[in-house]
Amino acid sequence: MLQKKIIESCLLLVLSMASGAAIAATPGASMLANTCAGCHGTNGVSSGPAAPTIAGFSNDYFIGVMQQFKNAEIPSTIMTRIAKGYTDEEIKLMAKHFSEMEFKRKPQQFDAKKAAFGKRLHNKYCEKCHENGGRKSEDDAGILAGQWAPYLNNAMNDYTSGDREMHKKMKKKVDALQKDHGDAGLDALINFYASQK
Amino acid sequence: MSKLNRRKFLSLTGGALATTLLGFPMLSMASKKRVVIVGGGIGGATAAKYLRMMDSSINVTLIEPNSNYFTCFMSNEVLGGGRNLDSLKFNYAGLKKHGVEVVHDLVTGIDPVAKKVSIKSGKSMPYDACIVSPGVDFIWEAIEGHSAAVAETVPHAWKAGAQTATLKKQIMGMRDGGTLVIVSPPNPFRCPPGPYERASQIAWYLKNNKPKSKIIILDNKPAFSKMGLFTAGWEKYYGYNSANSMIEWVSGDAGGTVASLDAKNMTVATDVADFKADVLNIIPAQKAGKIAFTAGLVNESGWCPVNQRTFESSKHKDIYVIGDSSVASPLPKSGYSANSEAKVCAAAIAASLNGKESPEPSLVNTCYSIIMPDDAISVAMVYRMGPDGKIIKVAGSGGLTPADASEEMRKREVGYAHSWFNNITDDVFG
């Protein structure tokens, strides 16, 4: 019995060594993350105007979005082509790295009146999942407060056009917001997030 | 201390310092690792910043003759009228904040044995590792009658700044109905889609200001970067392939290879015809930057072979070559490549100076071309190390903007192109 176990573990060892030789080593987290900085800013903090800041997102959110890009499940210009270059393991490493970086807010233009209205809409429709005025990233919720407005606008257009799938809870809230306040409501919401410093 | 005057105090502390140095020579020698970086373009400036971010105990000196840097990328937008030249201008204040010592001087030689870099003002600077990132130099003699002096009036505008301003002024001054000739360089060269983005941007300006004018691109090549997307864009906006096309592209096969230049008569001659221009933009054939030749870092190709895992020169130990001058193929000679190579190189040097193995590399290139203000295209690729120590493309990744991308997605690419510019320049100089 013991002998069999030893033989088995030896076999396993040989097998794992063989596969290790065939598969190249995985780069470290900061090495991988450094490749993002040219488009998303040093440490994932974007200078805009459209590319989003990717620092401070939860692990779940980052992995979820990258996997969706990789599988072409959400509309993208360049990100599907980029995401296909990374293994699941590499995406996990990048997610952990950026989750530990600070989401820094850079000033951007907004309409103060729309932002004030947007704040009320956020509290009514969004705050439950996008807590603390959209500053918190937990589970599959991304950071909204201080994110670049053109990016939020693109993402929201994809959601409302049906090109990007919303999960049930979000769809219910977005549908209600649109029914009550129309596109002006969504615009006010984005102005609120853009106003956050 | 009241009776101790300043000079006496200094001489006393100076004496103490000398005793320390004599007393513990090994300690003082080993305390600071020195990296000297030659060239403050995208590669050199990125390496300087990231070395300091990776290990702030490393002493980093960047040597660059100019106090400002104009990015080549997005300089075509200046020609098209969408951007000011000043928006391409960056300085080294950001690097100084990271603790980089910036010396504005010209490197005249690198001694790989004594491990010293000499500069024009006469000093020599010792290094533990030296990074060379000199960009490209031009092979003037590839076209008879061409020279650096001629390029003052027949601009290349392939290094941004004064050259961009000269070409812009000539385009602004051209008569409606004039002919602008762009001579595209042979492979390999800095920014492969650049000449064709330039034609697009100038066509946009001409279409709106001097619609009877024409652009002729003379090329020695049978094809070019993003060709299908460019020509489809030219058809859409500039009448390409029609009788009234604003842009004409002459391939090498069709006689586009330029042999000689008559600058006085603004005429270039190919094997089949002469082309007279109102504005002439010759982008010369290219080779590694001058210092790479002086320091013996190039091979017979005119470029610098490197260990692609670390970017250490294959010619000289402890000298690293990044950016356009290095042979980093399959990475193209682009700004994003230089930025990505610099980080891999910095990580390898930081590891080596700390007695560790160089980390497993990962690299990316992304490159945008703006065809008109609402329409941009891109190419991207993710790279890693292959089994034989060479960089390879990650299978299944990267590629071009899909040919069937919607107008909305093409418009978004303009926004992301401008974000690319803001973020890469901040990543390099901020």
mmCIF file of all heavy atoms in Angstrom, chain A residues 157-177:
data_model
loop_
_atom_site.group_PDB
_atom_site.id
_atom_site.type_symbol
_atom_site.label_atom_id
_atom_site.label_comp_id
_atom_site.label_asym_id
_atom_site.label_seq_id
_atom_site.Cartn_x
_atom_site.Cartn_y
_atom_site.Cartn_z
ATOM 1 N N ASN A 157 -24.403 53.395 -22.353
ATOM 2 C CA ASN A 157 -25.021 53.208 -23.680
ATOM 3 C C ASN A 157 -25.065 51.737 -24.061
ATOM 4 O O ASN A 157 -26.043 51.262 -24.640
ATOM 5 C CB ASN A 157 -24.250 53.982 -24.753
ATOM 6 C CG ASN A 157 -24.552 55.465 -24.703
ATOM 7 O OD1 ASN A 157 -25.569 55.869 -24.152
ATOM 8 N ND2 ASN A 157 -23.658 56.275 -25.263
ATOM 9 N N ASP A 158 -23.983 51.006 -23.758
ATOM 10 C CA ASP A 158 -23.951 49.574 -24.074
ATOM 11 C C ASP A 158 -24.997 48.803 -23.265
ATOM 12 O O ASP A 158 -25.634 47.888 -23.770
ATOM 13 C CB ASP A 158 -22.550 48.991 -23.804
ATOM 14 C CG ASP A 158 -21.514 49.516 -24.785
ATOM 15 O OD1 ASP A 158 -21.914 50.015 -25.861
ATOM 16 O OD2 ASP A 158 -20.310 49.433 -24.475
ATOM 17 N N TYR A 159 -25.151 49.202 -21.996
ATOM 18 C CA TYR A 159 -26.148 48.539 -21.148
ATOM 19 C C TYR A 159 -27.561 48.803 -21.674
ATOM 20 O O TYR A 159 -28.358 47.886 -21.851
ATOM 21 C CB TYR A 159 -26.056 49.044 -19.705
ATOM 22 C CG TYR A 159 -24.954 48.431 -18.876
ATOM 23 C CD1 TYR A 159 -24.053 49.241 -18.173
ATOM 24 C CD2 TYR A 159 -24.827 47.049 -18.753
ATOM 25 C CE1 TYR A 159 -23.052 48.687 -17.395
ATOM 26 C CE2 TYR A 159 -23.827 46.486 -17.967
ATOM 27 C CZ TYR A 159 -22.943 47.310 -17.290
ATOM 28 O OH TYR A 159 -21.966 46.757 -16.519
ATOM 29 N N THR A 160 -27.864 50.066 -21.912
ATOM 30 C CA THR A 160 -29.261 50.403 -22.245
ATOM 31 C C THR A 160 -29.632 49.960 -23.662
ATOM 32 O O THR A 160 -30.795 49.713 -23.943
ATOM 33 C CB THR A 160 -29.529 51.922 -22.073
ATOM 34 O OG1 THR A 160 -28.541 52.639 -22.821
ATOM 35 C CG2 THR A 160 -29.444 52.326 -20.615
ATOM 36 N N SER A 161 -28.623 49.831 -24.547
ATOM 37 C CA SER A 161 -28.922 49.360 -25.905
ATOM 38 C C SER A 161 -29.074 47.838 -25.947
ATOM 39 O O SER A 161 -29.498 47.279 -26.959
ATOM 40 C CB SER A 161 -27.805 49.780 -26.862
ATOM 41 O OG SER A 161 -26.627 49.037 -26.569
ATOM 42 N N GLY A 162 -28.692 47.177 -24.856
ATOM 43 C CA GLY A 162 -28.782 45.718 -24.819
ATOM 44 C C GLY A 162 -27.528 45.016 -25.306
ATOM 45 O O GLY A 162 -27.442 43.795 -25.310
ATOM 46 N N ASP A 163 -26.500 45.799 -25.742
ATOM 47 C CA ASP A 163 -25.246 45.192 -26.207
ATOM 48 C C ASP A 163 -24.450 44.583 -25.052
ATOM 49 O O ASP A 163 -23.613 43.709 -25.255
ATOM 50 C CB ASP A 163 -24.367 46.234 -26.917
ATOM 51 C CG ASP A 163 -24.944 46.619 -28.275
ATOM 52 O OD1 ASP A 163 -25.786 45.849 -28.781
ATOM 53 O OD2 ASP A 163 -24.566 47.682 -28.813
ATOM 54 N N ARG A 164 -24.684 45.102 -23.853
ATOM 55 C CA ARG A 164 -24.014 44.570 -22.670
ATOM 56 C C ARG A 164 -25.089 44.152 -21.676
ATOM 57 O O ARG A 164 -25.976 44.959 -21.354
ATOM 58 C CB ARG A 164 -23.104 45.641 -22.064
ATOM 59 C CG ARG A 164 -22.326 45.167 -20.854
ATOM 60 C CD ARG A 164 -21.283 46.207 -20.456
ATOM 61 N NE ARG A 164 -20.586 45.822 -19.245
ATOM 62 C CZ ARG A 164 -19.567 46.502 -18.737
ATOM 63 N NH1 ARG A 164 -19.138 47.617 -19.317
ATOM 64 N NH2 ARG A 164 -18.969 46.088 -17.637
ATOM 65 N N GLU A 165 -24.975 42.919 -21.224
ATOM 66 C CA GLU A 165 -26.025 42.376 -20.382
ATOM 67 C C GLU A 165 -25.943 42.930 -18.958
ATOM 68 O O GLU A 165 -24.865 42.981 -18.378
ATOM 69 C CB GLU A 165 -25.912 40.848 -20.347
ATOM 70 C CG GLU A 165 -27.224 40.178 -19.978
ATOM 71 C CD GLU A 165 -27.066 38.665 -19.867
ATOM 72 O OE1 GLU A 165 -26.136 38.115 -20.489
ATOM 73 O OE2 GLU A 165 -27.880 38.062 -19.151
ATOM 74 N N MET A 166 -27.114 43.329 -18.442
ATOM 75 C CA MET A 166 -27.172 43.735 -17.024
ATOM 76 C C MET A 166 -27.714 42.567 -16.225
ATOM 77 O O MET A 166 -28.590 41.849 -16.707
ATOM 78 C CB MET A 166 -28.126 44.919 -16.865
ATOM 79 C CG MET A 166 -27.589 46.213 -17.407
ATOM 80 S SD MET A 166 -28.690 47.597 -17.033
ATOM 81 C CE MET A 166 -29.726 47.634 -18.482
ATOM 82 N N HIS A 167 -27.200 42.385 -15.007
ATOM 83 C CA HIS A 167 -27.832 41.347 -14.204
ATOM 84 C C HIS A 167 -29.171 41.884 -13.689
ATOM 85 O O HIS A 167 -29.430 43.092 -13.734
ATOM 86 C CB HIS A 167 -26.913 40.820 -13.096
ATOM 87 C CG HIS A 167 -26.464 41.850 -12.118
ATOM 88 N ND1 HIS A 167 -27.325 42.442 -11.229
ATOM 89 C CD2 HIS A 167 -25.251 42.414 -11.907
ATOM 90 C CE1 HIS A 167 -26.667 43.307 -10.502
ATOM 91 N NE2 HIS A 167 -25.413 43.321 -10.893
ATOM 92 N N LYS A 168 -30.005 40.982 -13.232
ATOM 93 C CA LYS A 168 -31.432 41.281 -12.958
ATOM 94 C C LYS A 168 -31.649 42.533 -12.110
ATOM 95 O O LYS A 168 -32.422 43.412 -12.447
ATOM 96 C CB LYS A 168 -32.081 40.073 -12.264
ATOM 97 C CG LYS A 168 -32.871 39.207 -13.221
ATOM 98 C CD LYS A 168 -33.641 38.172 -12.422
ATOM 99 C CE LYS A 168 -34.091 37.038 -13.348
ATOM 100 N NZ LYS A 168 -34.442 35.851 -12.544
ATOM 101 N N LYS A 169 -30.895 42.585 -10.968
ATOM 102 C CA LYS A 169 -31.109 43.695 -10.024
ATOM 103 C C LYS A 169 -30.795 45.032 -10.683
ATOM 104 O O LYS A 169 -31.518 46.001 -10.524
ATOM 105 C CB LYS A 169 -30.184 43.499 -8.800
ATOM 106 C CG LYS A 169 -30.906 42.858 -7.630
ATOM 107 C CD LYS A 169 -30.132 43.051 -6.338
ATOM 108 C CE LYS A 169 -29.173 41.908 -6.096
ATOM 109 N NZ LYS A 169 -28.337 42.049 -4.904
ATOM 110 N N MET A 170 -29.701 45.058 -11.440
ATOM 111 C CA MET A 170 -29.287 46.318 -12.071
ATOM 112 C C MET A 170 -30.294 46.716 -13.144
ATOM 113 O O MET A 170 -30.681 47.881 -13.243
ATOM 114 C CB MET A 170 -27.884 46.162 -12.681
ATOM 115 C CG MET A 170 -27.401 47.436 -13.366
ATOM 116 S SD MET A 170 -25.684 47.290 -13.890
ATOM 117 C CE MET A 170 -25.514 48.759 -14.896
ATOM 118 N N LYS A 171 -30.728 45.733 -13.931
ATOM 119 C CA LYS A 171 -31.666 46.030 -15.023
ATOM 120 C C LYS A 171 -32.965 46.640 -14.477
ATOM 121 O O LYS A 171 -33.484 47.610 -15.033
ATOM 122 C CB LYS A 171 -31.965 44.763 -15.812
ATOM 123 C CG LYS A 171 -32.796 45.036 -17.071
ATOM 124 C CD LYS A 171 -32.775 43.876 -18.018
ATOM 125 C CE LYS A 171 -33.746 44.023 -19.187
ATOM 126 N NZ LYS A 171 -34.216 45.333 -19.542
ATOM 127 N N LYS A 172 -33.410 46.070 -13.361
ATOM 128 C CA LYS A 172 -34.647 46.563 -12.749
ATOM 129 C C LYS A 172 -34.524 48.041 -12.367
ATOM 130 O O LYS A 172 -35.388 48.860 -12.648
ATOM 131 C CB LYS A 172 -34.932 45.726 -11.486
ATOM 132 C CG LYS A 172 -36.402 45.578 -11.168
ATOM 133 C CD LYS A 172 -36.576 44.593 -10.010
ATOM 134 C CE LYS A 172 -37.540 45.145 -8.997
ATOM 135 N NZ LYS A 172 -37.535 44.387 -7.747
ATOM 136 N N LYS A 173 -33.370 48.371 -11.776
ATOM 137 C CA LYS A 173 -33.145 49.750 -11.320
ATOM 138 C C LYS A 173 -32.949 50.706 -12.496
ATOM 139 O O LYS A 173 -33.478 51.817 -12.509
ATOM 140 C CB LYS A 173 -31.914 49.808 -10.406
ATOM 141 C CG LYS A 173 -32.089 49.046 -9.104
ATOM 142 C CD LYS A 173 -33.058 49.764 -8.187
ATOM 143 C CE LYS A 173 -33.151 49.059 -6.832
ATOM 144 N NZ LYS A 173 -34.124 49.710 -5.959
ATOM 145 N N VAL A 174 -32.154 50.281 -13.477
ATOM 146 C CA VAL A 174 -31.887 51.149 -14.629
ATOM 147 C C VAL A 174 -33.174 51.371 -15.430
ATOM 148 O O VAL A 174 -33.454 52.499 -15.860
ATOM 149 C CB VAL A 174 -30.763 50.557 -15.522
ATOM 150 C CG1 VAL A 174 -30.646 51.329 -16.839
ATOM 151 C CG2 VAL A 174 -29.421 50.595 -14.792
ATOM 152 N N ASP A 175 -33.945 50.297 -15.605
ATOM 153 C CA ASP A 175 -35.229 50.440 -16.308
ATOM 154 C C ASP A 175 -36.129 51.439 -15.595
ATOM 155 O O ASP A 175 -36.754 52.296 -16.232
ATOM 156 C CB ASP A 175 -35.941 49.076 -16.401
ATOM 157 C CG ASP A 175 -35.317 48.184 -17.462
ATOM 158 O OD1 ASP A 175 -34.466 48.693 -18.219
ATOM 159 O OD2 ASP A 175 -35.669 46.978 -17.525
ATOM 160 N N ALA A 176 -36.189 51.324 -14.264
ATOM 161 C CA ALA A 176 -37.041 52.223 -13.482
ATOM 162 C C ALA A 176 -36.562 53.670 -13.607
ATOM 163 O O ALA A 176 -37.365 54.587 -13.821
ATOM 164 C CB ALA A 176 -37.036 51.791 -12.017
ATOM 165 N N LEU A 177 -35.245 53.844 -13.526
ATOM 166 C CA LEU A 177 -34.684 55.199 -13.626
ATOM 167 C C LEU A 177 -35.008 55.809 -14.997
ATOM 168 O O LEU A 177 -35.421 56.965 -15.097
ATOM 169 C CB LEU A 177 -33.167 55.152 -13.408
ATOM 170 C CG LEU A 177 -32.450 56.490 -13.244
ATOM 171 C CD1 LEU A 177 -31.212 56.332 -12.366
ATOM 172 C CD2 LEU A 177 -32.011 57.083 -14.574
#
